[in-house]
């Protein structure tokens, strides 16, 4: 009897709460099932994340191992120059220039490795052999190698009309460095040269480029002395196909550091100052800006020995010469960032045949 009473009482309680218990259970079932899936899926998800990471790393490795194509190459065949720009990125540390036949051999190998554009630079490329060496390389690249684009970057001071008459046909683009339209600022920067006026030289070269059908480009390095200048009017009047605007960059061993020939620290400007210059000239459609970030690793630079220069560590570390180890081996040490090259618009309409200019 005493045993049966609690049992009966428990039975009554159970009956009374059955409905509530049943609805509580129905509510808990999906929660338990969710937690179960979550607990089971936890390790699975971790495994998937790990696999994703591994495949990403593998893809990156495959990308890194892919041979770099030297689509666009800058060959600084001489370091000699008649100017003394205080921020110069490629100073006169040697007077070496390869024999012409050797330089042509290297250019042929680069073409075989996929080169489409060559840019000759320096130092001042017109200084060696009064521009004849340069003329022969330009002609070789256009006629023998049939490169779509052959260009030169020069300070312009040593170019004569006679050079255009002989080699103008083979040249696609001539880029002239001009950092200011104020001659006093040019002198401060180091681009002054005795009685010659850099701005007048620029205007004369613009005429010759029109007369001899060479696309005309301007390169400017924005630095402490020209950062506040308004160049809108002069650039519009010169009407270049492209106006490359660089932010002054420090390169250890070239324009900064103990073993450098220049001390460019006093020329450096902040990113904000550079942006301010760009903003002032934003209406000029041919302006192509290049901040330090974009510029540093996005150029394939060959020095006077045909060694690729790697700027990854803030200085120009040379590879072996392509003439000794071939293009493929040398280019691996170039530090070239192909993605940044494409991002900064490194591949553009660079052949004068395609530019359809109104000369
Ligand atoms: S003209 Fe060019 S190569 Fe010559 S000193 Fe100036 S920056 Fe250097």
């Amino acid at each position: 009897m005493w045993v049966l009473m609690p049992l009966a009482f428990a039975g009554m309680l159970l009956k009374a709460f059955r409905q509530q218990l049943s609805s509580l259970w129905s509510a808990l079932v999906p929660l338990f099932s969710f937690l179960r899936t979550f607990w089971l899926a936890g390790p699975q998800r971790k495994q998937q994340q790990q696999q994703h990471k591994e495949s990403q790393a593998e893809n990156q490795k495959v990308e890194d191992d892919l041979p770099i194509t030297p689509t666009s190459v800058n060959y600084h065949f001489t370091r000699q120059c008649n100017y003394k720009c205080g921020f110069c990125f490629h100073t006169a540390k040697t007077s070496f220039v390869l024999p012409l036949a050797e330089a042509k051999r290297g250019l042929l190998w680069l073409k075989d490795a996929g080169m489409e554009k060559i840019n000759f630079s320096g130092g001042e490329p017109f200084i060696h052999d009064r521009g004849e060496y340069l003329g022969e390389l330009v002609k070789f690249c256009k006629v023998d190698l049939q490169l779509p684009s052959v260009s030169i970057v020069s300070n312009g001071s040593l170019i004569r009309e006679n050079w255009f008459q002989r080699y103008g046909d083979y040249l696609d683009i001539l880029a002239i460095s001009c950092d200011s339209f104020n001659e006093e600022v040019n002198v401060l920067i180091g681009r002054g040269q005795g009685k010659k006026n850099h701005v007048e030289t620029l205007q004369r070269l613009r005429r010759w480029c029109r007369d001899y059908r060479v696309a005309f480009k301007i390169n400017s390095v924005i630095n402490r002395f020209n950062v506040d200048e308004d160049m809108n009017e002069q650039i519009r009047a010169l009407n270049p196909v492209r106006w490359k605007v660089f932010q002054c960059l420090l390169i250890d061993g070239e324009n900064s550091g103990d073993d450098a020939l220049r001390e460019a620290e006093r020329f450096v400007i902040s990113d904000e100052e550079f942006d301010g210059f760009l903003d002032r000239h934003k209406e000029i459609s041919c302006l192509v800006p290049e901040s330090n970030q974009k510029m540093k690793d996005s150029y394939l630079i060959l020095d006077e020995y045909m060694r690729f220069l790697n700027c990854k560590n803030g200085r120009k570390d040379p590879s072996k010469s392509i003439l000794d180890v071939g293009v493929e081996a040398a280019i691996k040490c170039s530090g070239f960032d192909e993605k940044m090259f494409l991002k900064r618009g490194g591949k553009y309409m660079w052949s004068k045949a395609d530019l359809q200019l109104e000369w």
Side-chain angles (χ1 to χ4, degrees):
M1 172 77 176
W2 295 110
V3 176
L4 288 175
M5 270 186 68
L7 280 176
F9 183 66
M12 280 165 66
L13 274 178
L14 195 62
K15 202 173 170 187
F17 289 108
R18 176 178 282 163
Q19 207 170 342
Q20 283 86 337
L21 283 173
S22 149
S23 35
L24 179 67
W25 179 247
S26 333
L28 286 175
V29 165
L31 179 67
F32 284 140
S33 123
F34 167 76
L35 288 173
R36 184 172 165 275
T37 322
F38 185 76
W39 274 316
L40 285 179
Q44 226 172 21
R45 208 178 29 251
K46 267 191 191 154
Q47 199 181 350
Q48 278 173 351
Q49 280 172 346
Q50 183 61 23
Q51 279 171 349
H52 182 64
K53 264 190 199 163
E54 279 170 13
S55 95
Q56 266 187 329
E58 217 159 277
N59 286 347
Q60 187 61 48
K61 191 172 175 320
V62 171
E63 251 178 53
D64 290 347
D65 289 347
L66 278 178
I68 302 168
T69 307
T71 313
S72 174
V73 176
N74 295 275
Y75 178 25
H76 297 246
F77 64 81
T78 178
R79 281 179 171 271
Q80 296 297 303
C81 186
N82 55 330
Y83 278 11
K84 287 191 171 49
C85 306
F87 52 72
C88 184
F89 313 128
H90 205 75
T91 50
K93 296 172 104 176
T94 79
S95 55
F96 182 80
V97 176
L98 275 173
L100 194 59
E102 288 288 282
K104 285 183 179 175
R105 182 160 65 96
L107 290 167
L108 173 63
W109 288 0
L110 284 162
K111 156 81 197 246
D112 290 344
M115 178 170 71
E116 293 174 35
K117 179 180 191 288
I118 182 77
N119 178 54
F120 295 106
S121 187
E124 169 48 46
F126 282 87
I127 206 168
H128 187 65
D129 197 18
R130 295 166 65 86
E132 285 307 298
Y133 181 93
L134 173 65
E136 286 308 308
L137 289 184
V138 164
K139 188 174 171 185
F140 173 74
C141 285
K142 191 49 99 179
V143 176
D144 298 76
L145 302 186
Q146 303 266 302
L147 290 186
S149 182
V150 181
S151 66
I152 298 172
V153 174
S154 161
N155 65 33
S157 62
L158 303 174
I159 310 178
R160 287 159 300 148
E161 187 170 9
N162 174 274
W163 192 94
F164 277 93
Q165 288 163 352
R166 299 181 58 198
Y167 300 110
D169 274 355
Y170 315 116
L171 182 65
D172 290 279
I173 303 169
L174 176 65
I176 301 296
S177 310
C178 175
D179 303 327
S180 175
F181 291 91
N182 178 343
E183 194 53 20
E184 283 169 22
V185 175
N186 281 324
V187 173
L188 275 176
I189 288 172
R191 287 204 195 276
Q193 206 210 7
K195 285 184 198 137
K196 281 190 186 170
N197 179 309
H198 192 67
V199 179
E200 283 170 16
T201 303
L202 194 71
Q203 283 157 348
R204 190 172 57 246
L205 286 165
R206 178 67 189 100
R207 280 198 306 277
W208 287 342
C209 279
R210 193 173 294 136
D211 295 348
Y212 295 94
R213 305 214 181 288
V214 173
F216 179 72
K217 183 177 157 185
I218 298 175
N219 285 356
S220 302
V221 177
I222 308 311
N223 61 77
R224 177 61 47 222
F225 297 97
N226 64 1
V227 68
D228 295 323
E229 195 167 324
D230 183 343
M231 305 186 187
N232 279 295
E233 197 187 320
Q234 293 90 341
I235 294 288
R236 270 185 226 288
L238 288 163
N239 190 25
V241 288
R242 208 166 152 88
W243 181 29
K244 248 322 185 33
V245 175
F246 302 93
Q247 182 180 0
C248 182
L249 175 69
L250 290 183
I251 306 257
D252 195 27
E254 294 286 350
N255 60 15
S256 170
D258 292 342
D259 53 342
L261 295 179
R262 298 283 196 285
E263 285 175 13
E265 282 78 2
R266 67 196 173 98
F267 287 87
V268 170
I269 53 166
S270 66
D271 292 350
E272 290 72 31
E273 287 175 299
F274 184 61
D275 289 344
F277 182 91
L278 297 179
D279 195 51
R280 198 175 316 124
H281 298 90
K282 62 177 182 288
E283 302 299 329
I284 298 195
S285 57
C286 65
L287 190 159
V288 180
E290 257 177 53
S291 62
N292 289 350
Q293 193 57 31
K294 277 190 188 166
M295 191 173 156
K296 201 166 70 71
D297 305 316
S298 66
Y299 285 85
L300 268 177
I301 306 171
L302 267 188
D303 75 356
E304 65 276 23
Y305 300 99
M306 285 200 157
R307 305 178 300 185
F308 285 109
L309 297 180
N310 184 334
C311 300
K312 277 230 176 304
N313 296 322
R315 50 183 301 122
K316 290 178 169 174
D317 294 319
S319 70
K320 294 209 164 114
S321 170
I322 64 169
L323 297 171
D324 295 330
V325 297
V327 175
E328 203 180 315
I331 209 169
K332 280 185 187 153
C333 306
S334 65
F336 179 57
D337 183 343
E338 205 163 10
K339 278 188 201 145
M340 187 53 94
F341 164 72
L342 295 171
K343 197 172 156 191
R344 72 160 167 83
K347 210 165 176 184
Y348 58 100
M349 207 177 275
W350 52 32
S351 166
K352 67 177 169 184
D354 299 330
L355 279 166
Q356 294 176 340
L357 296 173
E358 287 170 20
W359 304 97

